[in-house]
């Protein structure tokens, strides 16, 4: 019994070859009232140490792919989780799905997505929350834009977040913080690894001037002349794209909210930020 009600059917989706769980499933109730009660009661409840997300199943693929009601939020305080983000934005309309992007250790990357049922709710949320302070951070809220729809010409001028790759293997968190701290006050910095072992860092400055100074000084600068390797910093392509999304298109890339049935049933889930 999921949520104290009797289910009509329940199944966990698995990989066709390995039979390993894909991390999502479907529960079908006899009544809408029971489904609504489960949604309200169990959403973001911890299951084996991980908060689950419960949302309505959208069978219409066009509705799932509609990004007009999907918004992007960045600059989130590390304390903001899925539930806190949902509670903040649910006052503007019915939310189909809501997610804060996290790394492999469950630490927030500072951005997330909210997918509304109605486009009007998304517009109101952008108007009301953009530039507002949530917890200890001022957030940017804008319409979500797919990667293929972004143009190279839409470069953000007032960025504060930097993505750093091709770093020497000896660099650690302290080295990143010290080096980039020379150009201005750093709000946060973190050194991370992708699933295939590639290293990258995220640095967020207090001001856009400091971020630009760091880019001007360090972009493609040879940090290990004896090996001829370069360190590279990248700036955001446009206002609604997370800065951490330049290195990995699969996992670290955009995470547009979509129904898992749109992806191939493989051992690796396709993600939707």
């Amino acid at each position: 019994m999921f949520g104290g009600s009797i289910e009509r059917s329940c199944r966990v989706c698995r990989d066709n070859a390995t039979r390993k769980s894909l991390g999502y499933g479907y529960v079908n109730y006899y009544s809408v009232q029971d489904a609504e009660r489960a949604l309200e009661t169990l959403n973001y409840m911890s299951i084996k140490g991980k908060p689950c997300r419960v949302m309505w199943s959208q069978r219409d693929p066009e509705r799932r792919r509609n990004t007009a009601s999907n918004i992007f939020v960045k600059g989130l305080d590390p304390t903001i989780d899925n539930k806190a983000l949902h509670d903040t934005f649910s006052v503007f309309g019915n939310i189909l799905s809501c997610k804060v992007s996290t790394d492999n250790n469950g630490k927030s990357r500072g951005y997330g997505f909210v997918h509304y049922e109605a486009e009007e709710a998304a517009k109101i949320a952008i108007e009301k929350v953009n530039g507002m302070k949530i917890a200890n951070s001022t957030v940017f809220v804008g319409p979500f834009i797919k990667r293929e729809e972004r143009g190279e010409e839409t470069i953000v001028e007032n960025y504060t977040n930097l993505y750093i790759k091709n770093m020497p293997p000896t660099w650690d968190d302290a080295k990143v913080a010290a080096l980039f701290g020379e150009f201005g006050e750093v709000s946060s910095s973190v050194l991370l690894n992708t699933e295939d072992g590639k290293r990258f860092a995220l640095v967020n400055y207090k001001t856009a001037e400091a971020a630009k100074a760091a880019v001007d000084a360090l972009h493609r600068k040879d940090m290990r002349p004896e090996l001829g390797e370069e360190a590279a910093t990248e700036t955001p392509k446009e206002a609604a794209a997370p800065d951490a999304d330049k290195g990995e298109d699969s996992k670290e890339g955009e995470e547009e909210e979509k129904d898992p049935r749109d992806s191939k049933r493989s051992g690796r889930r396709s993600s939707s930020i």
Side-chain angles (χ1 to χ4, degrees), residues 158-224:
N158 295 319
Y159 57 87
T160 58
N161 295 317
L162 298 183
Y163 170 84
I164 302 98
K165 64 181 181 181
N166 298 338
M167 295 171 293
T170 57
W171 283 21
D172 55 15
D173 286 300
K175 173 64 176 179
V176 172
L179 178 61
F180 286 86
E182 297 176 3
F183 302 94
E185 186 176 356
V186 174
S187 299
S188 63
S189 67
V190 62
L191 186 63
L192 301 169
N193 291 292
T194 64
E195 287 184 343
D196 56 0
K198 294 181 180 179
R199 303 168 77 239
F200 66 96
L202 305 176
V203 176
N204 187 17
Y205 284 97
K206 285 285 187 180
T207 65
E209 289 74 19
K212 291 178 181 178
V215 171
D216 291 340
L218 299 178
H219 184 50
R220 297 194 179 281
K221 180 179 179 181
D222 189 349
M223 306 303 291
R224 295 192 298 170

